[in-house]
């Protein structure tokens, strides 16, 4: 299938590498890119999707432009008759989500969201364990993220650190949130209750860099995701599944899964674009369909509207450190508790 890329810089560079790999494998043909700046790619570059489509006729469009452009780019791609793989967050509000979903359905097209960790073999194995009852009754899903981000992280793009387009749960730890919602089986629900605690440790940004969210829905285990970009030490994000027969610990970036401290064998991972192509050719189910990002989008929208108070933090060179936060985010995931309930000193 003929594939075009919108946004070839930043994370888009990874899509360039993947498209070249898929071209070499004969899975897809990388026909061109759309970018407002000059980019060093071995395919033609265009200033907009319409001009690219008029000459190159893509069948799939991969969207890796800034979050605020996703809605317009996806709708334009559907108008041109293209299926879409859009980076997360696919939409910034529930209204945008519904608009994108309706546009795809109206034209018989599909939209996959760039939650690549849903393609991990460890994710499929964990879902199987939960579904089989191997972990017993699930009492909660927790996730903890501890990363260090320097000043350059917020200087890389105009939208970085901007509330409504960026934020701990919206972008860097979006996978932690989405994975937890999936494992709780609330990903398509619109009736979720959301408790948010958002904070920032930099006065140069408007989005949060430290966050805790609890998501509850009738008949489902509660979800708590706590994360920070102001950690003392960067560590791989982790998802905890608390069951009556044991605990599963999933390091989704590392494709590693343990159950009761026993390392589990996992099947191979699935590439999202390859999966989309096979979906069109053979009917293989999509790994990360747009419909499964409904609850995630609800949280994203609320993050864009919430108060984000400034916390006192310690500057260490090009980064800031929120003392004590490393331990607090882990405790929140373990206890399925909010910052405030843990009495950490910076909860509400």
């Amino acid at each position: 299938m003929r594939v075009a890329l919108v946004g070839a810089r930043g994370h888009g560079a990874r899509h360039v590498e993947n498209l070249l790999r898929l071209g070499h494998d004969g899975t897809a043909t990388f026909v061109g890119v759309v970018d407002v700046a000059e980019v060093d790619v071995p395919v033609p570059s265009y200033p907009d999707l319409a001009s690219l489509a008029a000459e190159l006729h893509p069948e799939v469009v991969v969207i890796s432009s800034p979050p605020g452009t996703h809605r317009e780019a996806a709708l334009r791609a559907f108008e041109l008759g293209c299926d879409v793989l859009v980076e997360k967050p696919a939409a910034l509000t529930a209204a945008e989500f519904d608009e994108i979903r309706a546009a795809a359905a109206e034209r018989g097209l599909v939209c996959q969201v760039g939650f690549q960790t849903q393609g991990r073999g460890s994710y499929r194995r964990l879902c199987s364990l939960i579904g089989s009852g191997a972990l017993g009754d699930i009492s909660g899903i927790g996730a903890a993220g501890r990363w260090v981000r320097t000043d350059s992280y917020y200087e890389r793009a105009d939208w970085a650190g901007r509330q409504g387009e960026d934020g701990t749960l919206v972008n860097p730890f979006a996978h932690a949130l989405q994975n937890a919602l999936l494992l709780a089986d609330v990903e398509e629900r619109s009736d979720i209750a959301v408790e948010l605690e958002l904070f920032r440790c930099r006065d140069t940004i408007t989005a949060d860099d430290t966050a805790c969210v609890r998501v509850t829905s009738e008949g489902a285990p509660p979800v708590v995701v706590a994360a920070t970009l102001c950690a003392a030490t960067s560590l791989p994000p982790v998802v905890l599944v608390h069951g009556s027969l044991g605990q599963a610990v999933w390091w989704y970036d590392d494709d590693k899964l343990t159950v009761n401290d026993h390392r589990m064998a996992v099947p191979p991972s699935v590439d999202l674009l390859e999966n989309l192509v096979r979906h069109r050719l053979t009917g293989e189910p999509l790994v990360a369909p747009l419909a499964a990002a409904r609850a995630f989008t609800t949280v994203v929208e609320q993050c864009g509207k919430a108060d984000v108070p400034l916390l006192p933090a310690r500057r260490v060179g090009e980064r800031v450190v929120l003392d004590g936060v490393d331990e607090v985010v882990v405790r929140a995931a373990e206890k399925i508790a909010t910052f405030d309930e843990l009495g950490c000193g910076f909860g509400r």
Side-chain angles (χ1 to χ4, degrees), residues 50 109 173 192 213 251 274:
L109 300 168
F173 290 105
I192 60 172
V213 62
W251 293 267
E274 289 183 78

Side-chain angles (χ1 to χ4, degrees), residues 34 48-55 76 80:
V34 175
D48 57 73
L49 188 55
S51 56
L52 181 150
E55 295 187 10
R76 185 59 176 147
L80 295 168

Side-chain angles (χ1 to χ4, degrees), residues 7-45:
R9 293 167 291 151
H11 187 71
R14 298 185 184 183
H15 285 292
V16 170
E17 294 177 1
N18 193 42
L19 283 162
L20 294 175
R21 178 185 68 85
L22 295 179
H24 183 268
D25 294 345
T27 303
T29 302
F30 185 18
V31 296
V33 303
V34 175
D35 207 299
V36 295
E38 291 187 11
V39 289
D40 183 16
V41 291
V43 292
S45 179

